[in-house]
Amino acid sequence: MRFYVIGITDSTQPFFTPEVLRVISQGRVFSGGKRHHDIVAPLLPKGAQWIDITAPVADVIASYEEPETVVFASGDPLFFGFANTLRRLLPEAEIVVYPTFNSLQMLAHRLVLPYHDMHIVSLTGRPWPLFDRALIERQEKIGVLTDRQHTPAAIASRMLYYGYDNYTMHVGEHLGHPHEERVTTVTLHEAAEREWQQPCCLLLTTTEHRHRRCGLPDGEFALLHGRERMITKMPIRLLSLQALQLYDRQVLWDVGFCTGSISIEARLLYPHLTVVAFEIRPECEQLIETNARHFGAPGIIVRMGDATEVPLDDLPRPDAVFIGGHGGRLKEIMARMLPLLNYGGCMVMNSVTDGSRQLFTEACQQLRLVMDEPLRVTINDYNTIEILKCRKQP
């Protein structure tokens, strides 16, 4: 099978090269969105068949039965576009691409803004994690593809909620359309209060650079009942995260998060990481939200309830588990986590008593986990803490 994938904008009078016009004139089966059909309908040969691209896309792909199909797609079909879908679902097909400028390029052109250093995120049919990562990484120029849920207003509201107010937003609506195109530069507060037309995209540029922090001050955390000892102290927190080796992990489960200090520090130090936080005490749910908002750590998945009983099957499998609290049920928690822990993954716990160290050691023996040499640390007038670690091997 062969596909000719032609990129177009919202212009009602698109310009095509002679080669593209020849492909269109010789085509018999065409495909694209309804908006694309409205634009190119006058150019299609008499008797042409049109296949609408609608969800689910896999069903549309399955309907392509002719040896050759001409597909119209927005912008550059290889830029989060339909050509990528064809390559993924029909890897043996021949694909010929005729691109035009994608929407973010067009917006940069309208703003006369260099875009070689733009960090690009697509929120079109996608969740927040990659956008959150760009914010945490303090990217200075972020291009965002939107959809009807992830609108400029929703994006601005999320940024303001987590304290990322050091950006200006540039929004391009109906780019390429001779009558409806609009480019607007606004503050995030203004963007959050406006209605925006689809299709649109946006560029975020920093008004000031803010440095990332390593080692969040204990005094800035809201605490459970104001108890200073109910938080993993910053030096111990950093050593614990180092023991978890999160730089090459993908998913961290933080069991017994309390204030959320481990989850939040991990989220900010390792923005690529998916963090899932567990806690049995109901009052801690608002506590971690308060602290995550204060430190600008969006995207932590919170699961409330007993870690030995709450549903786990819908969560991403961990390759690192930190046990911050266990309520005397350490063995049960480790036994439940173990089948879901990826091979090569690890569990880490901080122990302040001989009893908890003994429980951890016995659990490792029973579950056939390889235990590393403990690290003993004393901070100020606090008791000596042992950072305990074990690993799951094939």
Side-chain angles (χ1 to χ4, degrees):
M1 300 178 70
R2 176 184 296 165
F3 292 90
Y4 298 97
V5 189
I6 302 171
I8 61 174
T9 69
D10 270 3
S11 174
T12 54
Q13 295 182 322
F15 170 79
F16 293 124
T17 65
E19 181 180 357
V20 173
L21 290 173
R22 179 184 58 78
V23 170
I24 295 173
S25 66
Q26 295 178 358
R28 195 182 74 82
V29 180
F30 298 84
S31 189
K34 182 180 184 302
R35 180 165 52 91
H36 302 140
H37 183 263
D38 293 341
I39 293 171
V40 303
L43 299 175
L44 301 183
K46 186 176 180 179
Q49 177 187 352
W50 182 271
I51 301 174
D52 278 324
I53 297 178
T54 57
V57 175
D59 291 346
V60 178
I61 299 293
S63 72
Y64 293 148
E65 298 177 347
E66 296 296 322
E68 291 188 352
T69 302
V70 180
V71 180
F72 294 95
S74 296
D76 182 349
L78 288 170
F79 181 78
F80 299 99
F82 195 71
N84 297 326
T85 304
L86 288 173
R87 293 181 70 243
R88 176 169 52 87
L89 298 180
L90 295 174
E92 302 302 321
E94 179 184 353
I95 301 173
V96 181
V97 176
Y98 298 98
T100 189
F101 290 118
N102 66 61
S103 58
L104 287 174
Q105 287 176 311
M106 294 175 66
L107 180 55
H109 295 163
R110 302 295 190 268
L111 297 167
V112 194
L113 184 69
Y115 60 87
H116 59 276
D117 55 347
M118 184 193 306
H119 183 92
I120 298 169
V121 176
S122 175
L123 288 175
T124 305
R126 294 172 170 86
W128 291 108
L130 289 180
F131 179 73
D132 293 341
R133 176 177 179 176
L135 293 180
I136 295 171
E137 290 175 343
R138 305 297 197 266
Q139 297 290 342
E140 295 190 355
K141 189 182 295 179
I142 308 174
V144 186
L145 302 177
T146 71
D147 63 17
R148 296 188 183 278
Q149 285 71 47
H150 303 91
T151 64
I155 292 167
S157 296
R158 186 175 183 85
M159 294 175 70
L160 291 170
Y161 183 83
Y162 285 102
Y164 293 93
D165 56 356
N166 58 319
Y167 285 86
T168 295
M169 181 179 287
H170 314 272
V171 182
E173 301 167 275
H174 292 288
L175 293 173
H177 195 284
H179 308 299
E180 299 180 16
E181 175 178 302
R182 183 170 61 180
V183 175
T184 311
T185 296
V186 291
T187 67
L188 294 182
H189 290 281
E190 292 169 333
E193 298 298 324
R194 292 185 57 163
E195 296 288 336
W196 301 93
Q197 298 295 315
Q198 288 288 344
C200 72
C201 63
L202 61 90
L203 274 170
L204 295 164
T205 53
T206 50
T207 57
E208 62 172 308
H209 180 73
R210 296 178 183 173
H211 295 285
R212 293 171 61 186
R213 293 195 289 177
C214 175
L216 303 175
D218 297 337
E220 290 189 27
F221 281 90
L223 302 175
L224 182 63
H225 309 310
R227 296 162 62 185
E228 293 184 3
R229 292 182 178 271
M230 295 294 287
I231 182 175
T232 303
K233 295 297 180 288
M234 185 261 286
I236 303 300
R237 190 188 317 139
L238 295 179
L239 288 171
S240 299
L241 294 178
Q242 186 278 330
L244 288 162
Q245 296 180 307
L246 298 177
Y247 51 85
D248 62 354
R249 309 290 189 186
Q250 297 302 312
V251 181
L252 166 68
W253 283 9
D254 177 12
V255 181
F257 63 73
C258 191
T259 62
S261 64
I262 287 285
S263 291
I264 293 167
E265 190 90 59
R267 185 79 179 102
L268 296 180
L269 287 179
Y270 306 96
H272 72 280
L273 196 68
T274 298
V275 180
V276 183
F278 299 83
E279 178 57 61
I280 194 171
R281 289 168 289 198
E283 61 268 34
C284 291
E285 184 171 16
Q286 183 57 53
L287 194 60
I288 192 174
E289 178 62 23
T290 298
N291 287 324
R293 183 178 184 183
H294 172 75
F295 288 107
I300 296 172
I301 302 170
V302 176
R303 182 59 55 90
M304 300 303 298
D306 190 328
T308 65
E309 299 175 359
V310 294
L312 302 176
D313 292 343
D314 61 321
L315 297 172
R317 293 182 56 162
D319 41 22
V321 175
F322 178 78
I323 303 175
H326 54 82
R329 305 181 69 187
L330 178 61
K331 291 182 179 180
E332 292 91 329
I333 291 173
M334 293 177 66
R336 190 165 192 226
M337 301 290 150
L338 181 59
L340 297 174
L341 182 66
N342 290 322
Y343 286 115
C346 65
M347 296 187 194
V348 170
M349 186 187 83
N350 296 331
S351 170
V352 294
T353 67
D354 292 340
S356 60
R357 182 181 68 249
Q358 184 63 30
L359 279 175
F360 188 86
T361 302
E362 291 175 358
C364 290
Q365 293 173 345
Q366 294 172 8
L367 300 172
R368 298 183 179 179
L369 294 164
V370 177
M371 189 170 172
D372 290 358
E373 186 70 23
L375 175 64
R376 294 175 177 84
V377 183
T378 301
I379 302 295
N380 298 331
D381 59 345
Y382 292 94
N383 294 331
T384 298
I385 295 174
E386 287 188 291
I387 300 175
L388 308 175
K389 178 180 178 179
C390 61
R391 292 172 286 112
K392 179 180 179 178
Q393 294 185 331

